[in-house]
Amino acid sequence: VVSMGRGDDVSIFDFYISVLAECTAQFMDVLCASGNLPITQQMWFDEENNTAQVEWKRVEEKNYYDVLWGKTVVEDASGPREVDILDRPDCLEDVFALVSSVCSASPESSKAFWKIVEEEL
């Protein structure tokens, strides 16, 4: 607990988590306003699998035509490459997990993710 000199005590954790919540809320606002939300993990995985299949088909076709033209063929019997999930970029689920973690760490900070819009009468 750190004394802020005004007579009130504020924990360093509460300060940092409130700053993190505000920054994360602004980040979410920018993502939503720009319409530039990241793709889901499943969409990324499906795209990577599709790319691996296309690459493998290209190799098969090249080998087929090399045989027809009498060229030496380097057989690649490994099939489509495995998708490395460690190469995955941040996905939509990661953004939601960040928000969820911030809210779990400090329920008071979850207010940063809620906007209250008052209509003028």
Side-chain angles (χ1 to χ4, degrees):
V1 179
V2 176
S3 178
M4 300 301 286
R6 292 178 299 206
D8 53 351
D9 292 329
V10 177
S11 88
I12 293 173
F13 174 78
D14 289 340
F15 171 74
Y16 284 128
I17 199 73
S18 69
V19 170
L20 178 62
E22 283 297 323
C23 291
T24 305
Q26 288 179 11
F27 174 67
M28 289 296 297
D29 285 343
V30 169
L31 281 178
C32 292
S34 69
N36 195 18
L37 290 171
I39 63 174
T40 64
Q41 291 177 3
Q42 187 62 48
M43 287 174 62
W44 175 83
F45 189 76
D46 291 345
E47 285 178 7
E48 286 296 309
N49 270 333
N50 188 32
T51 301
Q53 289 292 332
V54 168
E55 289 170 358
W56 173 245
K57 285 290 183 190
R58 273 194 210 129
V59 168
E60 281 185 327
E61 288 175 5
K62 182 186 176 305
N63 287 345
Y64 173 76
Y65 287 113
D66 283 349
V67 167
L68 287 179
W69 294 332
K71 294 183 179 179
T72 305
V73 176
V74 178
E75 291 290 327
D76 185 11
S78 62
R81 66 174 167 79
E82 291 289 323
V83 175
D84 186 2
I85 60 171
L86 296 178
D87 289 339
R88 180 179 61 80
D90 290 337
C91 292
L92 192 59
E93 292 87 352
D94 299 321
V95 175
F96 291 146
L98 171 63
V99 171
S100 176
S101 296
V102 169
C103 291
S104 294
S106 175
E108 300 83 32
S109 296
S110 64
K111 291 182 236 173
F113 298 97
W114 297 95
K115 284 188 176 179
I116 299 173
V117 179
E118 295 181 19
E119 292 183 30
E120 292 183 25
L121 296 176

